[in-house]
Amino acid sequence: MASTHDGPSSPLFRAIPFKGNAAFARLQEAGGSSAMQDAAALAPAGSCTCWGIPFEVKKPLFVKEEPVSVELGISRATWLVFMHATDVEAPEYNEHGFISPTRGIGRLAEHVADYVLEYRDGTEARQSILRRHHIGMFSRIWGENCFQCVASEKPSSIPPVHEQVIPPPRGATEGYYGGSQTRVRQPDILPWVSWLWAWENPFPEKRIVGLRVEPKGWGMLLSGIAAGTVSSIPIRWEARRKAILTLPKRVAFDRNLDEHGLYKQIQLDLGQVISAAPRTVYPNAAWSDTYNNQLPEVSEREVVVEYACHRDARFHVAGKTVTAADLERGSKAGPLTPIAPATRRVALRVVDKATSRPVPVKLHLHGEAGEYLAPLDRHRLINYGWIEDYAPEFLNQQKHACAYIAGETVVDLPIGNVYIEVSKGFEIRPVRRIYRITQATECITLEIEKVLPWRERGWITADTHVHFLSPQTAMLEGSAEGVNVVNLLASQWGELMTNVGDFDGKTTFGSKEAGGDGEWLVRVGTENRQHVLGHISLLGYRGNLIAPLCVGGPDESALGDPVGILLAEWARQCKSQGGLVVMPHFPNPRCENAANLISGDVDAVEMTSWGNLYGGIDPYSLSDWYRYLNCGYFHAAVGGTDKMTAATAVGAIRTYAQIEPGCTFTYEAWMDAVRKGRTFVTYGPLLEFSVEGQPSGSWVSMKSGGGAVDIEWRAASVTVPMTRIDLVINGEIRESRSVGPHEAEGHCSLSIERSSWVALLVRGNYPDKPEIIAAHTSPVMIPVEGSAFFAAADALTILEQIEGAMAYLDTIGTRTDTDRHKRMWMTLTAAHRRLHNELHNQGHFHRHTHPHEHPEHHE
């Protein structure tokens, strides 16, 4: 037994001592069950605070057969709160094994006792105490809730796992990881639960001198009594509200919670703080002129506090108290400033201007204080932890919260100004509006308009790399972000398998064959992985799932797994099953991908956002890709987010692939366009690019000596403002032009003397962000007769990478059977010899790594 304090104590209540007749350690002797005796060690005892109400739990009162009276001294109390519990009573089964009639395990409405208040003037007040109304068993099962009483410890918040810096709270089970996703703990299924019931004093002006408990043959324990004066039932809270806590200068807010879910710097007595987070400060005055997804500032001294409490509750802040009633009146109280409550329920619709039909979009709303206003079926607090949340939401840089909606939703809004942001991909102009909410507001309708017709020109958008969502949620997020194809990848993470049940090797969700409209598609593929050799994405293949998903042990596969298969073997199996092979988050893990890129087993390399909307295409990724192009190994560029949390938006970086003119858009047509290299990768700007009238992915042959080629391009953006267009030839910037932020086009004639590749690169930036590489096309390859695609320095680095993969297999990689090891080694050897021989054919001799030494090597 130990005292418990679930928060500060309200000065409106006082503990009422009384002399009981039993000790917790000897309840069985008093007539309690052995189960009650065993659990009693966990009962609240001593000085306790429960629901903000003080109790002195010393020697409890146990009754079962005979009435027992205790002396009290209570004056001027409008409410009495009893801490009590009944013994467990098993259901009674008849000879057929049924309970008839049944009151349930909680023995609903069974008359346990009468409480009789004795007043000094000789009058009495009587109340029947019924199970699951006024009292509950000390141990209950889920679903047998009480109607008029509450468990003695008030509910509290739990941080999700990725935010936790404290041990799990008392009562947490092995399911705590999942349970923490609820962000709330209701401690009423524990080994011992005492129940609080509030009795409104029928005669508050009279002095109470005693309590008589008249049992009805059932064992019950009265642990504590408290008396106070409040305006309503003390264990009933009002609907949640928000306020801004302003901290003193140079005082940081501590977001850590203790085992009772309490913050150190702000607590409530007759209530609970739900959450507290630094206030986000948006440019409200210039809202319509700021850009989509612009991050707010984060206040260093202001904290948005969400809470629920009794109307007479008090905040305890920095040693002082502030009444909740003052905040309810809308006035500033000490360091707390109220935020207008979101009480007006409004229907919100986003429609396409051309059709007036609702369309899926990404939506953000906030109020005057910067507080996020979530739709009723979305989280108020978005969980951005790894594989902790599957809801259709996006939290940009942990600051800017958004929800994906199917075009219509319902949201509770405050009276006054609300600030709305709506977006849908890179071809539709984002909308930012300020809307005035009144008591008469019932519906808000917003229009969005497509201004860049890239889809009408045959361009299909795609995210090649998404995890953990369900197919239906992936389709919602993809369509809301303007992504036509979402590749949802099943995989393995140690002992964890994800999305494997969504793979059937045939269904393209959203296709007309699957009952969709054919415009927004989700296809489940796999990302097969090995922590040293690398990862490979296998998209759109048919038939059985390609397994094993991961090999070689942690941190990709299970501990003890051998390296039993190469990425090349996975890739070849994918192609044999009609699929598309992508090197994800290129170039890392930087190992076996070298062999597969020169062997032709890979169709595309993936530029990845890593959750950063403002990071742009990584020059490191481009530099690695360029070295293969320099040696004549063509692979299309694709964009994939590797989305695994709400911190990444589907399609933040995406692929645009152009299907053949007149071709119907299908998933297969999209794969074919990627294989041909008709692609560009983008964070926002849209491109069209050709060399001699041929698009990206083309091979434009020239006779010996080369000559001039005509290059044409067009770029447009409604999101990231453009700054420059760079023409890249053989990995170097040949020409750079400054351009306007939204539209640009141009052409030039360049002299080509040797075999070369040509691509277009777009730079841009938001006004408050650094310049980034915002888009990049796949190249056009220009072979010149008599001139090989070859760069010796690049070829040597590729060769050394293959040798590293072979060294791994030969040394520390966990081996499987000899034949399988030999087969893998020979696969890598074949790729190595191909490039090695080319180096020598070009007259470039080099240092060899054992076991590839041969007599004619030169330094």
Side-chain angles (χ1 to χ4, degrees):
M1 294 174 291
S3 63
T4 180
H5 296 273
D6 60 6
S9 180
S10 170
L12 301 178
F13 278 88
R14 62 190 184 279
I16 305 299
F18 63 88
K19 187 176 181 180
N21 62 0
F24 282 108
R26 306 183 70 176
L27 291 180
Q28 195 166 1
E29 294 180 14
S33 67
S34 59
M36 179 178 249
Q37 181 66 78
D38 292 341
L42 299 173
S47 296
C48 298
T49 305
C50 303
W51 284 70
I53 299 169
F55 293 93
E56 289 294 332
V57 182
K58 295 181 180 178
K59 193 174 185 180
L61 180 70
F62 184 89
V63 296
K64 188 171 185 178
E65 302 292 344
E66 299 296 328
V68 179
S69 296
V70 294
E71 294 181 357
L72 303 175
I74 305 173
S75 59
R76 297 187 180 277
T78 56
W79 291 92
L80 303 175
V81 182
F82 297 85
M83 179 191 292
H84 54 194
T86 74
D87 208 340
V88 292
E89 304 289 345
E92 297 175 358
Y93 293 83
N94 62 24
E95 65 274 18
H96 303 293
F98 299 105
I99 307 169
S100 181
T102 179
R103 294 179 179 271
I105 293 176
R107 303 177 79 101
L108 174 62
E110 195 167 64
H111 193 177
V112 176
D114 283 347
Y115 282 179
V116 182
L117 291 178
E118 300 171 344
Y119 295 94
R120 186 167 60 181
D121 65 1
T123 59
E124 295 182 342
R126 180 180 294 270
Q127 172 67 50
S128 296
I129 306 300
L130 308 180
R131 292 192 201 268
R132 292 192 61 195
H133 280 266
H134 315 94
I135 197 168
M137 296 181 188
F138 75 85
S139 177
R140 76 169 188 90
I141 66 165
W142 180 85
E144 298 277 342
N145 300 293
C146 291
F147 309 134
Q148 299 182 60
C149 59
V150 296
S152 60
E153 187 172 345
K154 63 187 176 184
S156 62
S157 294
I158 300 175
V161 171
H162 74 275
E163 293 180 5
Q164 290 169 14
V165 294
I166 59 171
R170 291 186 307 109
T173 68
E174 65 275 6
Y176 183 58
Y177 177 89
S180 73
Q181 303 308 293
T182 68
R183 289 185 179 264
V184 65
R185 182 171 67 101
Q186 176 75 0
D188 56 0
I189 302 182
L190 296 172
W192 181 284
V193 178
S194 292
W195 298 90
L196 304 185
W197 168 65
W199 185 7
E200 188 171 13
N201 187 358
F203 306 107
E205 72 283 0
K206 296 182 179 182
R207 181 175 179 81
I208 301 170
V209 295
L211 171 70
R212 188 169 70 252
V213 181
E214 300 177 354
K216 304 301 179 181
W218 310 109
M220 63 160 290
L221 188 74
L222 176 62
S223 300
I225 303 174
T229 301
V230 288
S231 57
S232 61
I233 300 173
I235 53 176
R236 183 178 68 198
W237 295 348
E238 304 295 311
R240 61 177 175 264
R241 300 285 294 268
K242 291 180 180 178
I244 298 172
L245 168 64
T246 303
L247 297 170
K249 293 181 179 180
R250 294 180 293 278
V251 174
F253 184 69
D254 187 348
R255 296 186 67 177
N256 297 331
L257 300 175
D258 68 14
E259 64 173 340
H260 294 286
L262 304 177
Y263 292 96
K264 295 179 180 178
Q265 290 155 302
I266 181 168
Q267 297 178 10
L268 273 163
D269 46 34
L270 300 176
Q272 187 67 281
V273 174
I274 300 169
S275 64
R279 180 189 173 202
T280 49
V281 182
Y282 285 94
N284 289 348
W287 179 252
S288 298
D289 300 322
T290 53
Y291 63 84
N292 184 59
N293 283 317
Q294 182 171 334
L295 294 178
E297 299 293 325
V298 177
S299 176
E300 295 183 356
R301 295 182 55 206
E302 293 179 314
V303 177
V304 174
V305 178
E306 188 173 32
Y307 64 92
C309 68
H310 188 273
R311 64 183 60 175
D312 298 333
R314 284 171 166 78
F315 290 93
H316 296 250
V317 186
K320 299 179 180 179
T321 60
V322 174
T323 65
D326 286 342
L327 290 179
E328 293 283 332
R329 287 189 286 269
S331 59
K332 188 176 187 297
L336 293 172
T337 304
I339 293 175
T343 55
R344 183 60 187 163
R345 187 153 293 178
V346 175
L348 188 146
R349 302 176 73 245
V350 181
V351 300
D352 177 64
K353 184 176 182 179
T355 65
S356 297
R357 293 177 180 173
V359 288
V361 294
K362 182 170 67 182
L363 170 71
H364 163 86
L365 299 101
H366 71 262
E368 288 281 13
E371 75 281 16
Y372 174 55
L373 301 167
L376 297 186
D377 55 358
R378 300 293 187 265
H379 294 115
R380 301 191 314 282
L381 298 172
I382 296 177
N383 187 341
Y384 57 89
W386 186 81
I387 202 172
E388 289 187 25
D389 198 347
Y390 305 90
E393 294 160 336
F394 171 53
L395 183 61
N396 187 9
Q397 309 293 302
Q398 303 178 27
K399 299 176 183 178
H400 184 63
C402 305
Y404 294 104
I405 64 170
E408 297 177 306
T409 191
V410 178
V411 59
D412 288 340
L413 300 176
I415 302 301
N417 286 342
V418 296
Y419 301 82
I420 306 175
E421 174 187 271
V422 173
S423 65
K424 185 181 176 69
F426 297 167
E427 298 166 48
I428 290 174
R429 182 177 288 114
V431 173
R432 277 194 164 196
R433 295 283 186 272
I434 303 173
Y435 204 97
R436 186 74 178 175
I437 304 301
T438 69
Q439 291 291 356
T441 304
E442 295 184 352
C443 182
I444 298 173
T445 300
L446 297 168
E447 287 185 334
I448 58 173
E449 180 182 11
K450 175 175 274 192
V451 293
L452 299 179
W454 256 245
R455 174 68 184 88
E456 287 71 17
R457 295 175 185 170
W459 289 97
I460 306 302
T461 56
D463 189 331
T464 53
H465 197 163
V466 172
H467 289 291
F468 304 158
L469 299 178
S470 69
Q472 201 63 36
T473 301
M475 193 181 305
L476 171 59
E477 294 198 18
S479 59
E481 288 285 3
V483 177
N484 300 112
V485 177
V486 176
N487 288 281
L488 181 61
L489 304 186
S491 197
Q492 176 181 353
W493 321 77
E495 300 284 359
L496 173 66
M497 306 287 179
T498 60
N499 287 111
V500 292
D502 297 315
F503 180 91
D504 66 1
K506 60 182 180 181
T507 301
T508 299
F509 298 92
S511 66
K512 291 181 178 179
E513 295 79 7
D517 62 7
E519 185 66 12
W520 312 106
L521 310 181
V522 174
R523 183 69 180 236
V524 182
T526 57
E527 184 184 7
N528 296 56
R529 298 149 59 235
Q530 206 281 333
H531 69 291
V532 174
L533 293 177
H535 298 188
I536 197 162
S537 296
L538 312 178
L539 312 183
Y541 62 89
R542 299 181 294 272
N544 294 331
L545 185 143
I546 296 174
L549 287 166
C550 295
V551 297
D555 59 358
E556 311 295 3
S557 70
L559 184 64
D561 280 349
V563 185
I565 190 169
L566 290 177
L567 276 63
E569 296 172 278
W570 279 324
R572 292 167 188 175
Q573 187 174 348
C574 175
K575 289 195 170 191
S576 73
Q577 294 179 220
L580 182 76
V581 179
V582 173
M583 278 295 174
H585 39 67
F586 189 78
N588 291 330
R590 200 168 183 265
C591 187
E592 192 201 326
N593 52 16
N596 301 325
L597 287 167
I598 69 171
S599 66
D601 292 320
V602 174
D603 296 304
V605 298
E606 177 186 274
M607 309 301 163
T608 302
S609 69
W610 302 112
N612 186 355
L613 274 176
Y614 312 110
I617 300 172
D618 189 351
Y620 181 80
S621 298
L622 293 175
S623 300
D624 209 300
W625 179 42
Y626 288 173
R627 63 183 179 143
Y628 295 95
L629 297 175
N630 289 343
C631 293
Y633 301 116
F634 172 85
H635 305 90
V638 295
T641 56
D642 199 4
K643 172 182 170 62
M644 289 185 276
T645 74
T648 301
V650 168
I653 183 173
R654 65 188 64 178
T655 310
Y656 269 76
Q658 191 173 37
I659 60 177
E660 294 293 335
C663 178
T664 300
F665 165 44
T666 63
Y667 185 84
E668 289 69 24
W670 171 79
M671 286 197 296
D672 186 56
V674 173
R675 291 188 188 103
K676 292 176 179 177
R678 309 288 196 257
T679 68
F680 66 87
V681 178
T682 182
Y683 274 78
L686 306 186
L687 303 173
E688 288 184 325
F689 165 70
S690 66
V691 176
E692 291 292 298
Q694 300 301 307
S696 297
S698 299
W699 290 71
V700 178
S701 298
M702 299 186 73
K703 293 182 179 180
S704 178
V709 294
D710 290 327
I711 299 173
E712 294 186 356
W713 52 267
R714 181 186 179 192
S717 180
V718 293
T719 54
V720 181
M722 300 182 295
T723 55
R724 282 192 292 157
I725 302 288
D726 291 345
L727 194 62
V728 185
I729 298 182
N730 295 335
E732 297 180 354
I733 305 300
R734 177 68 66 88
E735 183 175 318
S736 182
R737 297 185 185 181
S738 296
V739 296
H742 303 303
E743 284 193 270
E745 61 181 35
H747 68 274
C748 63
S749 179
L750 289 178
S751 177
I752 301 296
E753 299 175 354
R754 61 185 176 89
S755 292
S756 303
W757 60 268
V758 182
L760 200 69
L761 176 157
V762 180
R763 300 180 191 269
N765 66 282
Y766 292 104
D768 56 341
K769 301 293 180 185
E771 187 179 67
I772 61 173
I773 300 174
H776 200 299
T777 68
S778 288
V780 171
M781 307 297 286
I782 309 175
V784 176
E785 185 180 355
S787 169
F789 275 106
F790 200 75
D794 289 325
L796 183 58
T797 64
I798 297 169
L799 194 71
E800 290 170 341
Q801 190 170 319
I802 299 172
E803 290 171 356
M806 299 174 78
Y808 172 72
L809 285 186
D810 280 345
T811 57
I812 64 173
T814 301
R815 293 199 179 191
T816 181
D817 61 83
T818 302
D819 289 344
R820 191 174 299 180
H821 177 80
K822 183 182 296 185
R823 185 194 70 230
M824 292 189 295
W825 200 89
M826 290 306 297
T827 298
L828 294 178
T829 298
H832 182 276
R833 285 179 178 171
R834 176 181 177 180
L835 185 57
H836 171 267
N837 292 341
E838 183 63 22
L839 271 165
H840 284 279
N841 289 339
Q842 296 293 329
H844 298 284
F845 297 97
H846 57 94
R847 175 178 297 161
H848 296 76
T849 303
H850 180 80
H852 312 291
E853 188 75 54
H854 52 74
E856 70 272 20
H857 98 273
H858 295 272
E859 293 291 335

